[in-house]
Amino acid sequence: MIRLTEQKKARLVSFGIATAVLTGFCSFISYFLETNFSYQGEAALKGYGHLLEEDLTKGLFVVISGNLVLSTLITHQFFLLLEREVQVIAYKLLRGAALLILALLLAYLGEKIQEGLSAPLLHHTRLIDITLTWVLRIIGFFQGYWLTKIVCTYSKHSKVSI
């Protein structure tokens, strides 16, 4: 018989909940794309910029919710699979990569702004898509790690058995 500590039980429950939420969220996004965009949301396969061109408000919802929720949950699950010492090392390495990506993104945005945005911002859906996607993925990374730390800390100090 396998004995699990309270912390491992909390991590297992958190992983299961995150998996269920991830599955439900993917189903919801798929349904949302099918019902709110032409050709059952086929434009999403070409890139989020095409969704933004088709319907800006609904496209922004898909871009923001999709990138933020998915990256948060996947990062949370990734860190739950690691032991505490390995989590810290992985976080430090990935944090450096995330900040490098953010710096490159800001350089790209600076270059595009330097070139000048001649048309209204709505005609720059590719720029909006790239910016939102990477900023939200980086935020999701930090949120996922924060969520993992909360689960591990709570389970360590909790008086409630799971």
Side-chain angles (χ1 to χ4, degrees):
M1 178 162 187
I2 298 174
R3 291 203 175 267
L4 295 175
T5 63
E6 289 299 316
Q7 185 175 12
K8 290 193 184 214
K9 286 180 190 176
R11 291 172 80 159
L12 186 63
V13 167
S14 179
F15 191 87
I17 291 171
T19 303
V21 170
L22 194 59
T23 304
F25 184 75
C26 288
S27 297
F28 168 73
I29 287 293
S30 177
Y31 176 76
F32 186 81
L33 286 170
E34 288 176 7
T35 57
N36 290 293
F37 293 97
S38 58
Y39 304 106
Q40 289 77 37
E42 186 180 303
L45 299 175
K46 298 176 190 172
Y48 287 134
H50 294 281
L51 290 178
L52 295 173
E53 287 176 1
E54 191 173 325
D55 186 340
L56 183 65
T57 307
K58 292 176 183 175
L60 281 174
F61 172 75
V62 171
V63 171
I64 292 171
S65 62
N67 284 303
L68 189 60
V69 172
L70 292 177
S71 63
T72 299
L73 292 175
I74 290 171
T75 302
H76 175 60
Q77 288 180 321
F78 170 74
F79 282 117
L80 282 175
L81 294 174
L82 304 175
E83 291 297 324
R84 180 69 189 138
E85 295 81 20
V86 179
Q87 276 181 7
V88 172
I89 293 168
Y91 173 72
K92 288 179 180 178
L93 289 172
L94 292 173
R95 179 185 62 193
L99 294 176
L100 177 65
I101 290 170
L102 187 61
L104 291 172
L105 178 67
L106 289 174
Y108 175 73
L109 280 174
E111 180 183 323
K112 289 297 179 184
I113 291 172
Q114 183 87 18
E115 290 175 4
L117 300 175
S118 57
L121 194 58
L122 295 178
H123 296 307
H124 296 282
T125 55
R126 180 91 174 122
L127 186 62
I128 294 169
D129 166 33
I130 291 171
T131 304
L132 279 178
T133 296
W134 284 105
V135 167
L136 292 169
R137 285 179 183 176
I138 291 169
I139 291 171
F141 165 74
F142 287 112
Q143 280 183 338
Y145 182 71
W146 174 77
L147 187 60
T148 304
K149 279 180 55 176
I150 285 179
V151 167
C152 292
T153 303
Y154 176 76
S155 63
K156 205 183 296 183
H157 302 297
S158 175
K159 302 288 186 222
V160 180
S161 65
I162 297 175

